[in-house]
Amino acid sequence: MNESEKRNFILFVVGRMVSLIGSGIQMVAMPLFILDLTGSGTKMGLFATINMVPALIMAPFAGVIGDRFNRKKIMVLMDYLRGFIILSLAYLTYINKLNLFVLFSFQVVISLLDSFFGAATSAMIPDLVPEKDLMKANSITESISSASMIIGPVLGGVIYGFWGMQWIFILNGISFILSAISEMFIRYEKTSKLKSHVNAKIILNDLKESILFIFNNDILRNLILLAISLNFLFNPLFVVLLPYTFREIIGFSAQQYGLLETSWTVGILVGNIFLAIFFSKRNPQKLFKNGFYGMIVLNFLIAIMVFPDILAYFGNIWTIFIIVSIILIMIGITNAFVNTPISVYFQQIIPNENRSKIFSALGVIFQAATPVGMLILGILIDHVAVHWLFLAIGILLFIDIFLFSGKISQISFVLPEEE
């Protein structure tokens, strides 16, 4: 990268880092707040679903906008809007007017804004760095993002435990505004040749092109089947089952759970550092395959850990914390080996003019089953012992190995030769 490219890339990742620290603070505090307010796994699952569904619905349209308008301006505007909305939640908390209905309503709006921001940022990295540096740039971006999400959850558990939800909203709102300020200094011109206007016909035509592109690619079709299955199980487990189990059942404090939440992100950080330093030129297919199998096996270890007899054997809550944290770190490492090669592959094969809309369409398809899984798991938590839910998910993930092993072997990632 030349000096101009380095400057733009640094501003891009600094903006992400600041906003992600704030998001990490709120990410840990929110389920704890809902649990403390209601004690209901169903309501926590409902919130997780509300957080995701509007973004999924809006994502294809956001992708069309991301390809036809200046991606930098979209990023900046979405960060400012989210910052002011979250600061409004802080004010409502201060005057004691925040309830679940208000919280859920605001979250719908934030989720919609997230979809526009995500469509712009996911497509922007290849505009900022040369193709030969994509693996390294993605690894650095994910490493910095992971570092931010380590700091955020730790602070989230501590801040929520000592000062409550108001300060969580204040810090997160400020972080989005600071992120927008950083992004304003990126030197970026619209690179897509598509015209900057939209109507219903353009949107429908762009969506049709995206779907045809995706389903005419054998690798993408295989990844879609795999992602739908895994996201139906993995995402609800981490967003709904994990906080409920360790907060409500095992009895972790807000601070302990905040630290536990960072373990997964520490692993992602370590994994991406390994990718950037040691594995950027290695065979992405092997990294993907080993990471995929590793995630499933390690997840099954957590399922074993939460059985009552195993918990009673270890006894001390800090011993349980250390063991589960180590497992989560290892899962994070394997997750980096899966997600980063996939991101690079997508950035290479998808043309710039279509990148936002196709990324958005892929995101919708990949995540389509996640809200359903969150809602189902949230309801089951109130009626089934959590260790049986962990075991069931672990078994289903092992079944995935056999169902999709052939599909995984067919996936072939090809990196360009370095110039």
Side-chain angles (χ1 to χ4, degrees):
M1 285 185 279
N2 59 39
E3 290 303 315
S4 177
E5 290 168 339
K6 287 180 181 178
R7 175 185 178 277
N8 285 336
F9 183 66
I10 290 171
L11 288 170
F12 177 83
V13 296
V14 167
R16 283 176 59 88
M17 178 183 71
V18 174
S19 66
L20 283 173
I21 289 175
S23 297
I25 291 172
Q26 187 166 315
M27 178 186 68
V28 166
M30 192 64 76
L32 301 181
F33 175 67
I34 294 173
L35 282 174
D36 289 344
L37 200 62
T38 67
S40 170
T42 301
K43 287 186 173 63
M44 189 173 65
L46 179 61
F47 177 82
T49 303
I50 288 174
N51 184 42
M52 192 169 195
V53 169
L56 287 178
I57 294 172
M58 185 58 65
F61 307 101
V64 173
I65 298 297
D67 283 332
R68 293 180 175 273
F69 292 86
N70 188 297
R71 290 165 182 160
K72 170 193 163 181
K73 292 180 179 178
I74 294 172
M75 289 172 57
V76 173
L77 178 60
M78 293 305 106
D79 268 347
Y80 273 127
L81 289 175
R82 289 184 295 178
F84 289 124
I85 288 171
I86 293 170
L87 288 176
S88 298
L89 285 172
Y91 176 71
L92 291 173
T93 307
Y94 174 71
I95 63 175
N96 201 27
K97 295 293 184 180
L98 183 66
N99 54 46
L100 282 184
F101 176 77
V102 172
L103 184 61
F104 285 11
S105 300
F106 271 65
Q107 191 59 45
V108 169
V109 178
I110 294 170
S111 180
L112 293 173
L113 298 177
D114 286 345
S115 67
F116 285 97
F117 181 85
T121 55
S122 62
M124 195 169 173
I125 292 179
D127 295 337
L128 300 178
V129 301
E131 185 177 357
K132 66 184 178 63
D133 293 324
L134 274 179
M135 177 70 87
K136 188 173 183 179
N138 277 275
S139 298
I140 293 171
T141 302
E142 291 301 320
S143 297
I144 292 175
S145 298
S146 300
S148 304
M149 295 301 285
I150 292 168
I151 299 169
V154 172
L155 292 175
V158 172
I159 294 167
Y160 178 75
F162 286 107
W163 294 289
M165 205 64 205
Q166 179 184 343
W167 277 100
I168 297 292
F169 289 136
I170 290 173
L171 292 174
N172 194 20
I174 291 174
S175 75
F176 276 117
I177 292 172
L178 292 176
S179 175
I181 293 171
S182 172
E183 291 156 358
M184 288 177 66
F185 290 97
I186 296 174
R187 293 173 183 168
Y188 176 85
E189 297 295 333
K190 179 176 176 286
T191 55
S192 171
K193 297 178 182 178
L194 297 175
K195 294 181 179 179
S196 298
H197 71 272
V198 294
N199 54 41
K201 184 178 179 180
I202 288 173
I203 291 174
L204 291 175
N205 186 63
D206 281 2
L207 292 178
K208 179 182 176 181
E209 287 181 4
S210 301
I211 293 171
L212 288 175
F213 182 92
I214 291 168
F215 285 95
N216 285 334
N217 185 297
D218 291 337
I219 295 178
L220 291 182
R221 286 203 306 270
N222 291 336
L223 285 174
I224 286 168
L225 294 174
L226 178 63
I228 289 173
S229 176
L230 291 181
N231 287 336
F232 178 76
L233 299 169
F234 256 124
N235 290 350
L237 184 152
F238 279 92
V239 175
V240 179
L241 187 56
L242 205 68
Y244 185 88
T245 299
F246 289 97
R247 176 69 165 163
E248 291 289 302
I249 305 300
I250 298 178
F252 280 17
S253 67
Q255 291 86 348
Q256 285 174 317
Y257 180 72
L259 290 169
L260 184 71
E261 187 78 27
T262 66
S263 302
W264 150 271
T265 320
V266 167
I268 296 176
L269 171 62
V270 172
N272 278 292
I273 290 174
F274 285 165
L275 283 173
I277 297 176
F278 303 113
F279 301 126
S280 62
K281 303 302 178 184
R282 297 290 180 89
N283 187 336
Q285 185 181 27
K286 288 184 178 179
L287 293 173
F288 175 85
K289 189 173 182 179
N290 292 336
F292 171 70
Y293 292 147
M295 274 200 304
I296 293 177
V297 172
L298 290 165
N299 184 77
F300 195 71
L301 291 180
I302 293 185
I304 295 172
M305 270 296 303
V306 298
F307 263 72
D309 290 344
I310 303 296
L311 292 173
Y313 174 79
F314 288 105
N316 187 285
I317 198 168
W318 280 107
T319 304
I320 298 168
F321 170 84
I322 291 170
I323 294 172
V324 175
S325 294
I326 291 172
I327 297 173
L328 286 175
I329 289 171
M330 296 171 68
I331 291 177
I333 293 172
T334 57
N335 179 268
F337 285 9
V338 171
N339 286 340
T340 302
I342 289 176
S343 296
V344 172
Y345 173 76
F346 288 164
Q347 291 167 359
Q348 289 173 328
I349 68 167
I350 299 174
N352 176 50
E353 285 77 10
N354 303 319
R355 199 177 291 137
S356 287
K357 66 187 178 189
I358 293 176
F359 275 16
S360 298
L362 283 170
V364 172
I365 297 170
F366 283 179
Q367 299 291 341
T370 298
V372 179
M374 288 177 176
L375 194 56
I376 291 173
L377 193 56
I379 294 171
L380 288 175
I381 280 175
D382 289 334
H383 300 90
V384 181
V386 293
H387 56 277
W388 292 118
L389 294 176
F390 270 102
L391 180 62
I393 292 173
I395 292 172
L396 290 172
L397 288 170
F398 264 118
I399 292 173
D400 270 349
I401 290 179
F402 298 102
L403 290 179
F404 290 101
S405 58
K407 302 290 185 185
I408 296 170
S409 299
Q410 294 172 18
I411 297 171
S412 177
F413 302 100
V414 180
L415 289 176
E417 295 181 0
E418 186 171 359
E419 296 176 0

